[in-house]
Amino acid sequence: MLPPQPRVVVLAGGVGGSKFTLGVRAALRRLGAPEATVIVNTGDDLWLSGVRLQPDVDSITYALAGVNDTERGWGRAGDTERVNEELQAWGAGWPWFTLGDLDLGTHLARTGWLRDGLTPTQVLERMAQRWPLGIRMLPMTDSEVDTHVLLEDGGRLHFQEWWTRHRAKLTPRAFENPGVADAVPAPGVAEAIAGADVVLIAPSNPVVSIGPILSVPGIRDAVRKTSAKVVGVSPIIGGRVVRGMADVCLTAIGVETSAAAVARHYGARSAGGVLDAWLLAEEDAAAATDVEIAGLRAVVAPLWMRDEETSAAIAEVALRA
Ligand code: FO1
């Protein structure tokens, strides 16, 4: 039974993470419950043209503030690209990577505060003061552990170059987060997980969004040991990825693109994994038995996040699972 005032933690990244976070906020508001804590992937982060970019942090912040570009799935709605044109004219930055003018305001503010000595957690706290987000956001760690892609041909690229320039077309053989072994969870992360009633794993990319969060030493353990129920939401519907290029990432780590295979990849807590229950789409209902054989409670529900209402309905099913 869900307590009347559930303390909820969400692990999230990317577009799937921001849509789901909007749904969690709406569902908790309906229940009159306290704000959820969202632990955000920072593996997508990078330095470019002297500024620190935090794509997943920004996607979730902009979505919660209602200022996101819903068409593209990243950046600010109605943004312009004047500064970007100048950067390109200087040959600065990456010609395939667009920094919008409003978005650059965010990166400049963040970089200034980092240069002043604030930690990423403190910067995020400061940024959250601008808009009533209705969610407490924490980076997974204050260390820089950007994701690198190791290619089959022996090359190595920053995740953002592989994702945006090559559209994940260069075959990866592995993903790495250099420095992650020495990283620690950001202040408040382990405590939030330990003190939660429910931990939700968003339908984000299991490899490059949720993977980096769980690889910060201490976070996987905290999820394994919490007295909270841990519920994951499948990012695979009808045997296909809903958005992004998660299938390429899954193939690289030897996981099939199916709801049951991703559930087995996370694993049941009773068998050394991180989950107690797995929400899978109606289209994948036939896989429920496989999920249960893996030691998880399988819950079948509509999983298309079309708008805030449908995301909230999914969040509510996950909370009650
Ligand atoms: N994605 C693109 O496909 N092309 C871009 O030029 C691009 C710029 C960009 C700038 C700031 C930012 O926060 C995100 C940006 N993204 C862009 C999205 C981002 O590359 C990825 O979609 C995420 O990191 C994956 O979750």
Side-chain angles (χ1 to χ4, degrees):
M1 258 271 287
L2 190 64
Q5 294 279 299
R7 290 159 300 173
V8 177
V9 167
V10 185
L11 310 190
V15 180
S18 53
K19 286 186 170 188
F20 185 67
T21 302
L22 279 180
V24 171
R25 180 179 67 179
L28 291 179
R29 279 180 176 163
R30 256 178 240 164
L31 293 170
E35 287 182 358
T37 298
V38 179
I39 298 166
V40 186
N41 169 42
T42 57
D44 286 19
D45 298 7
L46 75 158
W47 286 98
L48 195 66
S49 291
V51 290
R52 185 71 176 154
L53 311 187
Q54 294 202 291
D56 284 1
V57 164
D58 290 347
S59 292
I60 297 178
T61 306
Y62 293 161
L64 290 167
V67 299
N68 56 322
D69 184 327
T70 50
E71 289 289 306
R72 284 188 312 193
W74 50 271
R76 294 279 297 267
D79 212 345
T80 47
E81 295 171 12
R82 292 200 65 197
V83 180
N84 196 62
E85 282 160 24
E86 272 302 287
L87 286 170
Q88 305 293 329
W90 285 114
W94 282 338
W96 63 85
F97 201 78
T98 308
L99 297 175
D101 294 329
L102 298 175
D103 196 30
L104 260 164
T106 307
H107 310 320
L108 285 170
R110 170 166 43 234
T111 305
W113 288 323
L114 289 172
R115 293 276 184 243
D116 289 344
L118 267 62
T119 62
T121 303
Q122 291 165 335
V123 168
L124 192 42
E125 215 174 282
R126 190 135 175 194
M127 296 187 106
Q129 287 168 16
R130 178 167 175 196
W131 292 295
L133 300 180
I135 288 275
R136 175 176 173 235
M137 279 171 65
L138 294 174
M140 63 189 199
T141 177
D142 278 340
S143 305
E144 288 181 12
V145 290
D146 306 6
T147 300
H148 288 188
V149 186
L150 308 192
L151 301 171
E152 228 171 41
D153 68 7
R156 172 190 282 267
L157 293 176
H158 189 285
F159 166 76
Q160 288 295 344
E161 182 170 3
W162 177 73
W163 191 257
T164 60
R165 182 184 187 185
H166 300 288
R167 315 306 306 176
K169 293 272 185 307
L170 301 179
T171 311
R173 73 182 157 82
F175 298 88
E176 271 183 5
N177 296 97
V180 74
D182 300 320
V184 292
V189 165
E191 295 79 354
I193 295 170
D197 296 303
V198 185
V199 174
L200 300 174
I201 299 191
S204 303
N205 186 315
V207 186
V208 295
S209 293
I210 304 299
I213 303 177
L214 291 173
S215 66
V216 174
I219 297 191
R220 176 181 286 274
D221 257 15
V223 175
R224 282 199 36 72
K225 289 187 188 138
T226 179
S227 56
K229 291 283 174 224
V230 186
V231 183
V233 181
S234 174
I236 310 293
I237 299 184
R240 301 164 72 102
V241 288
V242 175
R243 65 194 78 74
M245 299 163 275
D247 44 353
V248 183
C249 305
L250 286 166
T251 305
I253 62 159
V255 176
E256 185 193 300
T257 302
S258 76
V262 175
R264 282 193 296 269
H265 163 67
Y266 285 131
R269 285 208 291 179
S270 55
V274 292
L275 290 177
D276 299 313
W278 185 240
L279 247 67
L280 68 171
E282 292 167 322
E283 292 86 335
D284 299 307
T289 317
D290 283 351
V291 172
E292 302 228 326
I293 288 170
L296 293 163
R297 168 141 193 259
V299 180
V300 176
L303 288 192
W304 288 103
M305 295 191 288
R306 291 198 174 82
D307 48 30
E308 196 169 316
E309 189 55 37
T310 45
S311 300
I314 296 164
E316 205 167 326
V317 176
L319 289 169
R320 294 189 188 286

